Each structure stands twice: as structure tokens, then as C-alpha cells.
Amino acid sequence: MRRVALRIVIFGPGRIGVAFARALARARCDVLGFVGRDPARAAAAVAAAGCGRVLAAADHVHAQAVVFAVGDDDLAGAIAAAAAAAPPRPCSLWLHTSGRHGLEVFDGLAGIRRGIVHPTTPVPAHSPGVEPLRGAPGVLVGDPRAQRLLRALCRRLGLVPFDGHGGNRALYHAACALAANGLTGLFAEAAAACAASGVVRGADAARLVEALMRGALQACGDRGSVDGLTGAVRRGDTATVAAHLCELRAHAPAAVPAYLATAHAALRLARAAGLSPMRADAVAAALDA
Ligand SMILES: NC(=O)c1ccc[n+]([C@@H]2O[C@H](COP(=O)([O-])OP(=O)(O)OC[C@H]3O[C@@H](n4cnc5c(N)ncnc54)[C@H](OP(=O)(O)O)[C@@H]3O)[C@@H](O)[C@H]2O)c1
């Protein structure tokens, strides 16, 4: 018997929309195309995804799965606009990709199955040869009737499923932002300070910072954050911490708030790892000076 491909419409021709379309098309789903606010952006997404076409909002009636991959603050408006353009196809799966919102954004829509697939990985603009979703966690939420299809979609996207029912989604999303976007901000500040030092130059500064960050993440994964911590704060080298702050204030002042916030977090870990209270208090005083 011939298997009929799952038909999918994507609202939001952005980073996630294109990544989803590419992965789903590769998994032999029938990606009908993109609905966007700007047809030119939707056409660019069609080109980047290599599948589908530019669609009108009412075209969701042709799909078994309707994906809303729009910004978190645009989600309710996009769902309302889709439902206003045409009534949902009975039993179709409507899902969004936001970490911030729950299923309540679909309240008031009758006859649909509701779901969330939140890929817990940074997905930048498409670059050839990069498959950002493959092997990443996908946090799933859905109505009981949606579970089977959600898991099938997750598999086709190449995501590893995690159960995300219940809990505080804004807090969960804040944690995701801290881990992913916070790390990117930290990378930029550290690379700028490293380049300003003149010890290494140009692209080498970014390469060194990337190696340090990868090593620190590896140590956290291998040993946990308490045992994985190294450095001046962990050792209680107060004069060195004071020198760091002095030079950052002089040559890379934008990095000072990040240095202070992360050093305070590191100090909590250092205390837990056994740094003597006297040395820890001296580091705290240097940070607060
Ligand atoms: N990128 C990531 O790393 C990542 C990871 C996990 C989850 N997510 C989630 O995925 C969702 C999309 O994120 P993204 O990074 O892909 O955002 P994005 O690149 O900014 O793309 C969002 C797209 O949605 C379009 N849009 C906004 N309102 C719309 C509407 N009413 N109808 C149709 N299209 C509309 C935007 O149009 P314009 O072009 O006009 O702005 C834009 O093209 C968010 O909920 C985000 O939290 C993102």
C-alpha cells in the first residue's frame, strides 16, 4: 500500500520555519509551504528550504499539521489570523515551537489536536550543510490525541523527544535563554576583551574563547558544575580577581557586568566545592569593591 505523505503548512518563514521545512521534507513529508507577513520573506524561505511555495493564510485547510514558528510575541495573533482566514480542518494538528507559551494559545479553536515541539537548541539562519535540529532535544507537549503524531513529527525532525507537560514555561524559557543566548553574549564579551589584551590577535581571540567555553561545558557535563569549576575564583586568588576587574574597567568596560555576575555565580560553586570561608569572603569583597 502506498504511504501518503503528511501535508504540512508552516506559519513563520524564519529560522525555525526553514529548519523544520528542510528536516521534514528530507523525511518525506509534504511541506506545502510558508505563510508569512511579508511574501518576499516567505519566498526566501521557500528558496532556503528547497521545498513548498508561498501560501495564503487560508491554505492551512489543506494540511494535516499546521506549524506556527513565529516570534513568541506574535504567536497569539498568528493563530487568530489563521483561524479567521479559514476554520481549522477537523482533527488537524496545530502546533507551535515556542518555549514561552503553552497549549492555551490554541484555546477557543474547536476540533483540532494541539501540540508544542520546542527544539531546545539554538537555530541560526540556514547555512548549507548544517542540520541544527539533528540529535537536539525536542520538548513535547500535546493533547492525548496529538501524542502519536507529535512523536512521529519529532522523529522526522531528527529531535530527541523530552516530555514537557506542566511546569512554569516562562521560567523554563528564561533558563533556555540564559543557557543559549546568554552564552552567545558572554562569548562576544570575552572575545572582545581577549582581543583588546593584545596577547593574541584577530580571529585567534575568538578561537581561544570558543576552546575555553567548549572545555568548560565539557567539564560541567563530565563532572557537574561544582567539581567542573576552575580558575581564580575557585582558587581564591583575590589579587588576581581584583586585577581582572581593574583591567576590564580600563579596556573592556562592557564586559564588567558579565564578569561580576558570572564571578558571583562561580563563587557560590567555589564555596560548595570547599573554598575556605575566609578566602571566599575575600573574593566577594574584591568583587564588591
Ligand atoms: N531560532 C531558535 O533558535 C529557536 C529555537 C527554539 C525555539 N524557537 C522558537 O521558534 C519560534 C520562531 O523563532 P525564530 O527564531 O524562527 O524566529 P524568526 O527567525 O524571527 O522567524 C519568525 C518569522 O515569523 C514571521 N511572522 C511573525 N508574525 C507572523 C504572522 N502573524 N504570520 C506569519 N508569519 C509571521 C516573521 O515575519 P517577519 O519576517 O515579517 O518578521 C518571521 O519571518 C519562536 O517561538 C521561538 O521562541 C526558536
Side-chain angles (χ1 to χ4, degrees):
M1 201 173 70
R2 197 169 69 87
R3 225 173 97 202
V4 180
L6 184 66
R7 290 191 304 278
I8 294 165
V9 163
I10 298 174
F11 282 72
R15 298 167 183 84
I16 288 284
V18 169
F20 268 45
R22 289 184 64 85
L24 292 170
R26 215 172 28 243
R28 299 184 187 287
C29 293
D30 186 2
V31 179
L32 300 183
F34 295 90
V35 183
R37 282 191 292 215
D38 171 4
R41 183 91 194 260
V46 169
C51 60
R53 56 194 176 82
V54 178
L55 300 175
D59 285 327
H60 67 73
V61 296
H62 304 299
Q64 290 132 333
V66 184
V67 177
F68 290 89
V70 304
D72 303 301
D73 291 359
D74 292 323
L75 185 56
I79 293 169
R89 178 190 175 98
C91 289
S92 54
L93 171 65
W94 284 35
L95 67 120
H96 70 72
T97 60
S98 169
R100 159 77 182 88
H101 296 288
L103 292 176
E104 74 286 343
V105 287
F106 297 118
D107 281 357
L109 298 181
I112 58 163
R113 292 182 270 179
R114 308 174 305 163
I116 304 169
V117 176
H118 181 230
T120 311
T121 189
V123 177
H126 170 65
S127 47
V130 180
E131 296 174 21
L133 301 176
R134 185 168 294 279
V139 176
L140 306 186
V141 180
D143 294 330
R145 288 188 318 137
Q147 289 296 331
R148 228 173 109 198
L149 188 48
L150 268 181
R151 287 192 167 266
L153 273 174
C154 188
R155 249 192 333 271
R156 290 175 193 202
L157 287 163
L159 296 169
V160 177
F162 282 67
D163 183 357
H165 287 84
N168 178 336
R169 287 194 73 84
L171 181 58
Y172 157 76
H173 198 222
C176 295
L178 190 59
N181 320 133
L183 192 67
T184 308
L186 197 57
F187 176 92
E189 298 293 5
C194 191
S197 76
V199 173
V200 289
R201 270 160 281 279
D204 281 353
R207 274 195 216 109
L208 281 192
V209 169
E210 183 187 342
L212 283 163
M213 286 182 143
R214 284 186 192 279
L217 281 177
Q218 184 72 49
C220 286
D222 291 346
R223 312 174 62 101
S225 49
V226 169
D227 289 339
L229 181 69
T230 64
V233 170
R234 172 65 186 89
R235 292 187 295 270
D237 289 343
T238 304
T240 300
V241 170
H244 290 173
L245 277 168
C246 179
E247 296 309 314
L248 284 170
R249 286 193 175 108
H251 302 290
V256 171
Y259 184 94
L260 287 174
T262 54
H264 278 295
L267 186 55
R268 287 193 287 278
L269 295 173
R271 287 186 196 273
L275 182 65
S276 78
M278 206 176 75
R279 296 192 80 159
D281 289 349
V283 172
L287 292 175
D288 293 339

